[in-house]
Amino acid sequence: MSRSPVVPVLAIDGPSGSGKGTVSRLVADHLGWRLLDSGALYRAVGYAAGMAGLDLSDAEAVTRCAETTKIQFRAAADGGDTRVIVNGHDATDELRTETAGAAASAIASVPSVRQALVALQLGFRKAPGLVADGRDMGTVIFPDAPFKVFLTASAAERAKRRYKQLKEKGLSVTLAGLQREIEARDSRDASRAVAPLKPAVDAVLVDSTGMGIGDVVAKVLAVVKL
Ligand code: C5P
């Protein structure tokens, strides 16, 4: 019996605002591979927990929420950003806010919440390949990924990028406040006991500080040797 060939994965991990989202999408488009935005899953669960009025520090309740929340990704009709549907409601805009990011980070530190999302993430690995964007793609979810990148940028630059992004979406934020929130979220993500934010030992480190998006994409694509 012949075994089916292993589907290649490019894991792109890194802190918030490092450009992972944009880079992952462009790289996936270039390769013609599927894309997993794992942060959106944690954001969706945090959002659903908030909608249900749950206490985010109640591990049992948020785990049940992670196990039962229905999350769907749908291509936008106008070719814009992929829509994220949470329990039947298009929550794409709500999920972008820093409040949603903070809720995601809070529930993401609960091991059983992470466990509840594993099978869903593994299901994205389909031919011809997958670009997986997150914090633990190369370390925990796809440790056997043949291609791994850890994308960083200075905290100041990440705050500036996020500021521009959120302003363009018409959200009201301040640069200083954003930098504080980003640093607090990173330190929680990096210091948690389970699946902390850290580069896989075999990841290629890419520091995008001062680099244009095209150059970052080229650097990441250079990691993928098919
Ligand atoms: O990438 P994004 O900013 O959308 O992620 C939101 C939060 O979800 C992160 O701050 C992190 O706490 C959590 N997350 C995670 N593991 C992932 C992706 C996201 O813990 N693979």
Side-chain angles (χ1 to χ4, degrees):
M1 202 174 75
S2 70
R3 289 209 304 151
S4 52
V6 175
V7 175
V9 174
L10 166 62
I12 304 184
D13 291 306
S16 40
S18 56
K20 276 180 304 131
T22 311
V23 170
S24 298
R25 187 164 34 76
L26 291 171
V27 168
D29 284 350
H30 182 91
L31 294 168
W33 288 7
R34 286 161 62 99
L35 175 66
L36 164 61
D37 172 6
S38 62
L41 303 180
Y42 291 94
R43 285 172 184 261
V45 173
Y47 167 79
M51 290 301 279
L54 303 181
D55 171 359
L56 296 186
S57 63
D58 181 340
E60 224 172 275
V62 291
T63 300
R64 222 171 309 121
C65 182
E67 287 165 352
T68 53
T69 300
K70 194 161 174 243
I71 308 164
Q72 297 160 289
F73 293 94
R74 197 173 292 157
D78 59 1
D81 292 352
T82 301
R83 312 304 297 178
V84 189
I85 318 296
V86 183
N87 291 329
H89 166 72
D90 185 337
T92 316
D93 296 335
E94 290 100 316
L95 296 189
R96 281 198 189 103
T97 63
E98 268 309 301
T99 313
S105 173
I107 58 107
S109 64
V110 178
S112 45
V113 165
R114 306 195 69 83
Q115 191 53 42
L117 297 175
V118 170
L120 182 58
Q121 295 176 84
L122 294 178
F124 276 79
R125 189 173 192 168
K126 294 218 174 93
L130 174 69
V131 176
D133 159 2
R135 303 291 187 292
D136 62 342
M137 299 294 97
T139 50
V140 176
I141 304 296
F142 303 108
D144 67 331
F147 314 116
K148 298 180 186 177
V149 168
F150 194 82
L151 193 60
T152 56
S154 70
E157 172 132 349
R158 291 189 285 118
K160 248 188 269 163
R161 288 183 192 159
R162 201 66 152 198
Y163 178 79
K164 199 165 155 258
Q165 236 177 24
L166 294 176
K167 276 283 178 196
E168 277 165 9
K169 311 257 185 233
L171 294 165
S172 140
V173 281
T174 69
L175 186 57
L178 211 52
Q179 184 159 343
R180 267 197 308 277
E181 281 169 0
I182 282 180
E183 283 172 349
R185 184 140 68 90
D186 288 347
S187 107
R188 175 158 50 188
D189 289 347
S191 62
R192 69 184 172 214
V194 59
L197 169 66
K198 64 162 193 222
V201 287
D202 49 349
V204 175
L205 258 75
V206 176
D207 185 338
S208 68
T209 309
M211 279 172 79
I213 190 78
D215 291 340
V216 182
V217 168
K219 258 201 155 165
V220 172
L221 279 170
V223 171
V224 182
K225 301 196 170 66
L226 295 171

Coordinates of all heavy atoms in Angstrom, one line a residue, residues 165-207:
Q165 N -2.5 50.2 10.7 CA -3.5 49.3 10.3 C -4.8 49.6 10.9 O -5.9 49.6 10.2 CB -3.1 47.9 10.8 CG -2.9 46.8 9.8 CD -2.4 45.5 10.6 OE1 -2.6 45.3 11.8 NE2 -1.8 44.7 9.8
L166 N -4.9 49.8 12.2 CA -6.1 50.1 12.9 C -6.7 51.4 12.5 O -7.9 51.5 12.4 CB -5.9 50.0 14.4 CG -5.5 48.6 14.9 CD1 -5.2 48.6 16.4 CD2 -6.6 47.5 14.6
K167 N -5.9 52.4 12.3 CA -6.3 53.7 11.9 C -7.0 53.6 10.6 O -8.1 54.2 10.3 CB -5.2 54.7 11.8 CG -4.8 55.4 13.1 CD -5.8 56.4 13.5 CE -5.6 57.0 14.8 NZ -6.6 57.8 15.4
E168 N -6.4 52.9 9.6 CA -7.0 52.7 8.3 C -8.4 52.0 8.4 O -9.2 52.2 7.6 CB -6.1 51.8 7.4 CG -4.9 52.6 6.8 CD -3.8 51.7 6.2 OE1 -4.0 50.5 6.2 OE2 -2.8 52.3 5.8
K169 N -8.5 51.2 9.4 CA -9.8 50.5 9.6 C -10.8 51.5 10.4 O -11.9 51.1 10.8 CB -9.7 49.2 10.4 CG -8.6 48.3 9.9 CD -9.2 47.2 9.1 CE -8.0 46.2 8.7 NZ -8.0 46.0 7.3
G170 N -10.3 52.7 10.7 CA -11.2 53.7 11.3 C -11.3 53.5 12.8 O -12.2 54.1 13.4
L171 N -10.4 52.7 13.4 CA -10.5 52.5 14.9 C -9.8 53.6 15.6 O -8.8 54.1 15.1 CB -10.0 51.1 15.2 CG -10.8 49.9 14.7 CD1 -10.0 48.7 14.8 CD2 -12.1 49.8 15.5
S172 N -10.2 54.0 16.8 CA -9.6 55.0 17.5 C -8.6 54.5 18.5 O -9.0 53.8 19.5 CB -10.7 55.8 18.2 OG -10.3 56.2 19.5
V173 N -7.3 54.7 18.3 CA -6.2 54.2 19.1 C -5.1 55.2 19.3 O -5.0 56.1 18.4 CB -5.6 52.9 18.5 CG1 -6.4 51.7 18.8 CG2 -5.3 53.1 17.0
T174 N -4.3 55.1 20.3 CA -3.1 55.9 20.4 C -1.9 55.1 20.3 O -1.9 53.9 20.7 CB -3.0 56.7 21.7 OG1 -2.8 55.7 22.8 CG2 -4.3 57.5 22.0
L175 N -0.8 55.6 19.7 CA 0.4 54.9 19.5 C 1.0 54.4 20.8 O 1.4 53.2 21.0 CB 1.4 55.8 18.8 CG 2.7 55.1 18.3 CD1 2.4 53.9 17.4 CD2 3.6 56.1 17.6
A176 N 1.1 55.3 21.8 CA 1.6 54.9 23.1 C 0.8 53.8 23.8 O 1.4 52.8 24.3 CB 1.7 56.1 24.0
G177 N -0.5 53.9 23.7 CA -1.4 52.9 24.3 C -1.2 51.6 23.6 O -1.2 50.5 24.3
L178 N -1.1 51.6 22.3 CA -1.0 50.4 21.5 C 0.4 49.7 21.9 O 0.4 48.5 22.0 CB -1.0 50.8 20.1 CG -1.5 49.8 19.1 CD1 -2.9 49.4 19.5 CD2 -1.6 50.4 17.7
Q179 N 1.4 50.5 22.0 CA 2.7 49.9 22.3 C 2.7 49.2 23.6 O 3.2 48.1 23.8 CB 3.9 50.9 22.2 CG 5.2 50.2 22.5 CD 6.4 51.0 22.0 OE1 6.2 52.0 21.2 NE2 7.6 50.7 22.4
R180 N 2.0 49.9 24.6 CA 1.9 49.2 26.0 C 1.1 47.9 25.9 O 1.5 46.9 26.4 CB 1.1 50.2 26.9 CG 2.0 51.1 27.7 CD 1.3 51.7 28.9 NE 0.0 52.3 28.5 CZ -0.1 53.6 28.0 NH1 1.0 54.3 27.9 NH2 -1.3 54.1 27.7
E181 N 0.0 47.9 25.1 CA -0.8 46.7 25.0 C -0.1 45.6 24.3 O -0.1 44.4 24.7 CB -2.1 47.1 24.2 CG -3.2 47.7 25.1 CD -4.3 48.3 24.3 OE1 -4.3 48.2 23.0 OE2 -5.2 48.9 24.9
I182 N 0.7 46.0 23.3 CA 1.4 44.9 22.5 C 2.5 44.3 23.4 O 2.7 43.1 23.4 CB 2.0 45.6 21.2 CG1 0.9 45.7 20.2 CG2 3.2 44.8 20.7 CD1 1.4 46.3 18.9
E183 N 3.2 45.2 24.1 CA 4.2 44.6 25.0 C 3.7 43.7 26.1 O 4.3 42.7 26.4 CB 5.1 45.8 25.6 CG 6.0 46.3 24.5 CD 6.8 47.6 24.9 OE1 6.4 48.2 26.0 OE2 7.7 48.0 24.2
A184 N 2.5 44.1 26.7 CA 1.9 43.3 27.7 C 1.5 42.0 27.2 O 1.7 40.9 27.8 CB 0.7 44.1 28.3
R185 N 0.9 42.0 25.9 CA 0.4 40.7 25.3 C 1.6 39.8 25.0 O 1.6 38.6 25.3 CB -0.4 41.1 24.1 CG -1.0 39.9 23.4 CD -2.4 40.3 22.9 NE -2.4 41.2 21.8 CZ -2.4 40.9 20.5 NH1 -2.2 39.6 20.2 NH2 -2.4 41.8 19.6
D186 N 2.7 40.4 24.4 CA 3.9 39.6 24.1 C 4.4 39.0 25.3 O 4.9 37.8 25.3 CB 4.9 40.5 23.5 CG 4.6 40.9 22.1 OD1 3.6 40.3 21.5 OD2 5.2 41.8 21.5
S187 N 4.5 39.8 26.4 CA 5.2 39.2 27.6 C 4.3 38.1 28.2 O 4.8 37.1 28.6 CB 5.5 40.3 28.6 OG 4.7 40.3 29.7
R188 N 3.0 38.2 28.1 CA 2.1 37.1 28.6 C 2.3 35.9 27.7 O 2.4 34.8 28.1 CB 0.6 37.6 28.6 CG -0.3 36.4 29.0 CD -1.6 36.8 29.5 NE -2.2 37.8 28.7 CZ -3.4 38.5 29.0 NH1 -3.9 38.2 30.2 NH2 -3.9 39.4 28.2
D189 N 2.3 36.1 26.3 CA 2.4 35.0 25.4 C 3.8 34.3 25.5 O 3.8 33.1 25.4 CB 2.3 35.5 23.9 CG 0.9 35.9 23.6 OD1 -0.1 35.6 24.4 OD2 0.7 36.6 22.6
A190 N 4.8 35.1 25.9 CA 6.2 34.5 25.9 C 6.4 33.8 27.3 O 7.2 32.9 27.4 CB 7.2 35.5 25.7
S191 N 5.6 34.2 28.3 CA 6.0 33.6 29.6 C 5.0 32.5 30.1 O 5.1 32.0 31.1 CB 5.9 34.8 30.7 OG 4.7 35.3 30.7
R192 N 3.9 32.3 29.3 CA 3.0 31.3 29.7 C 3.6 29.9 29.7 O 4.6 29.6 28.9 CB 1.7 31.3 28.8 CG 2.0 30.8 27.4 CD 0.7 30.9 26.6 NE 1.0 30.6 25.2 CZ 0.5 31.2 24.1 NH1 -0.4 32.1 24.3 NH2 0.8 30.9 22.9
A193 N 3.1 29.0 30.5 CA 3.7 27.7 30.7 C 3.5 26.8 29.5 O 4.4 26.0 29.1 CB 3.1 27.0 31.9
V194 N 2.3 26.9 28.8 CA 2.1 26.0 27.7 C 2.2 26.7 26.4 O 1.7 27.9 26.2 CB 0.7 25.3 27.9 CG1 -0.4 26.4 27.9 CG2 0.4 24.4 26.8
A195 N 2.9 26.1 25.4 CA 3.1 26.7 24.1 C 3.5 28.1 24.1 O 2.9 29.0 23.4 CB 1.9 26.5 23.2
P196 N 4.6 28.5 24.9 CA 4.9 29.9 24.9 C 5.5 30.4 23.5 O 5.9 29.6 22.7 CB 6.1 30.0 25.9 CG 6.6 28.6 26.0 CD 5.5 27.7 25.6
L197 N 5.4 31.7 23.3 CA 5.9 32.3 22.1 C 7.4 32.2 22.1 O 8.1 32.9 22.9 CB 5.5 33.7 22.0 CG 6.2 34.6 20.9 CD1 5.8 34.1 19.5 CD2 5.8 36.1 21.1
K198 N 8.0 31.3 21.3 CA 9.5 31.2 21.2 C 9.8 30.6 19.8 O 9.0 29.8 19.3 CB 10.1 30.5 22.3 CG 9.6 29.0 22.4 CD 10.6 28.2 23.3 CE 10.3 26.7 23.1 NZ 10.2 25.9 24.2
P199 N 11.0 30.9 19.3 CA 11.3 30.3 18.0 C 11.6 28.8 18.2 O 12.1 28.4 19.2 CB 12.6 31.0 17.6 CG 12.9 32.0 18.6 CD 12.0 31.8 19.8
A200 N 11.1 28.0 17.2 CA 11.5 26.6 17.2 C 13.0 26.5 16.9 O 13.6 27.5 16.4 CB 10.8 25.9 16.0
V201 N 13.7 25.5 17.4 CA 15.1 25.4 17.3 C 15.6 25.4 15.9 O 16.7 25.9 15.5 CB 15.7 24.2 18.0 CG1 15.7 24.4 19.5 CG2 15.0 22.9 17.6
D202 N 14.7 24.9 15.0 CA 15.1 24.9 13.6 C 14.4 26.0 12.7 O 14.4 25.9 11.5 CB 14.7 23.5 13.0 CG 13.3 23.0 13.3 OD1 12.7 23.7 14.2 OD2 12.9 22.0 12.7
A203 N 14.0 27.1 13.4 CA 13.4 28.2 12.7 C 14.4 29.1 12.2 O 15.4 29.3 12.8 CB 12.4 28.9 13.6
V204 N 14.1 29.7 11.0 CA 15.0 30.8 10.5 C 14.5 32.1 11.0 O 13.3 32.4 10.9 CB 14.9 30.8 8.9 CG1 15.7 32.0 8.3 CG2 15.4 29.5 8.3
L205 N 15.3 32.9 11.7 CA 14.9 34.1 12.3 C 14.9 35.2 11.2 O 15.9 35.4 10.5 CB 15.8 34.5 13.4 CG 15.2 34.2 14.8 CD1 15.3 32.8 15.1 CD2 16.0 35.0 15.8
V206 N 13.8 36.0 11.1 CA 13.7 37.1 10.2 C 13.3 38.3 10.9 O 12.2 38.4 11.5 CB 12.8 36.8 9.0 CG1 12.6 38.0 8.1 CG2 13.2 35.6 8.2
D207 N 14.2 39.3 11.0 CA 13.9 40.6 11.7 C 13.5 41.6 10.6 O 14.3 42.0 9.8 CB 15.1 41.1 12.5 CG 14.7 42.3 13.3 OD1 13.7 43.0 13.0 OD2 15.5 42.6 14.3

